[in-house]
Amino acid sequence: MAIRNIVKYGDETLRRVCRPVEEITPRILTLLDDMAETMRAANGCGLAAPQVGILRRIAVVETEPGELIELINPKIIAFAGEQREQEGCLSIPEKWGITVRPAHVTVRATNRRGEEFEVTGSGLLARALCHEIDHLDGKLFVDKVIKYID
Ligand code: ZN
């Protein structure tokens, strides 16, 4: 495993739409391992592939220590409610703002074994899932901030 360099705000990689993963190759598995390690080293609770310069639909989320969720080709298939909470991004250091997100989301994705699964989250997990999936479409939380926090 290796810690990868995190792409920072202003790099146009973060604004590109990522391509789906068609085949889970050893390179994809290494990328998943490296993304988890990179996220943890940066004390983040989520990381998307474009943040390490890879334009593929892959993200990792870990809002509870040890409960890593690896997402390949994730899609939000249901959402409900609304939350207005603080959000930040490893690509946009030192910046925090309040965003409006669904209170609950259900995501369908593929795992590293190529199996489809669903994950439902509320609160921070719902925000993290939305935030990371946004990254795969070139969207950043600063596009959605309703109020910055000093
Ligand atoms: Zn982010």
Side-chain angles (χ1 to χ4, degrees), residues 60-100:
V60 292
V61 168
E62 190 175 53
T63 55
E64 295 289 335
E67 289 184 22
L68 178 66
I69 304 169
E70 296 176 324
L71 303 152
I72 298 169
N73 300 333
K75 271 197 182 89
I76 294 172
I77 56 166
F79 61 92
E82 184 186 292
Q83 57 174 321
R84 294 172 180 234
E85 296 290 343
Q86 183 174 309
E87 211 168 304
C89 180
L90 293 177
S91 293
I92 313 173
E94 315 295 328
K95 215 162 195 180
W96 297 87
I98 304 287
T99 56
V100 182

Side-chain angles (χ1 to χ4, degrees), residues 51 88-91 131-132 135 140-141:
Q51 293 182 275
C89 180
L90 293 177
S91 293
H131 178 118
E132 301 314 329
H135 269 299
L140 301 172
F141 89 95

Side-chain angles (χ1 to χ4, degrees), residues 5-15 42-44 46-48 50-52 86-97 99 101 131-132 134-135 138-145 148-149:
N5 194 39
I6 297 179
V7 173
K8 295 299 188 304
Y9 187 60
D11 189 312
E12 67 114 11
T13 304
L14 295 174
R15 291 303 191 180
N43 291 315
L47 190 70
Q51 293 182 275
V52 292
Q86 183 174 309
E87 211 168 304
C89 180
L90 293 177
S91 293
I92 313 173
E94 315 295 328
K95 215 162 195 180
W96 297 87
T99 56
R101 298 282 192 187
H131 178 118
E132 301 314 329
D134 270 358
H135 269 299
K139 297 179 199 157
L140 301 172
F141 89 95
V142 289
D143 305 339
K144 303 195 168 174
V145 165
Y148 281 102
I149 297 161

Side-chain angles (χ1 to χ4, degrees), residues 23-32:
E23 192 191 349
I24 300 169
T25 60
R27 271 179 85 154
I28 298 288
L29 299 178
T30 301
L31 174 63
L32 283 165

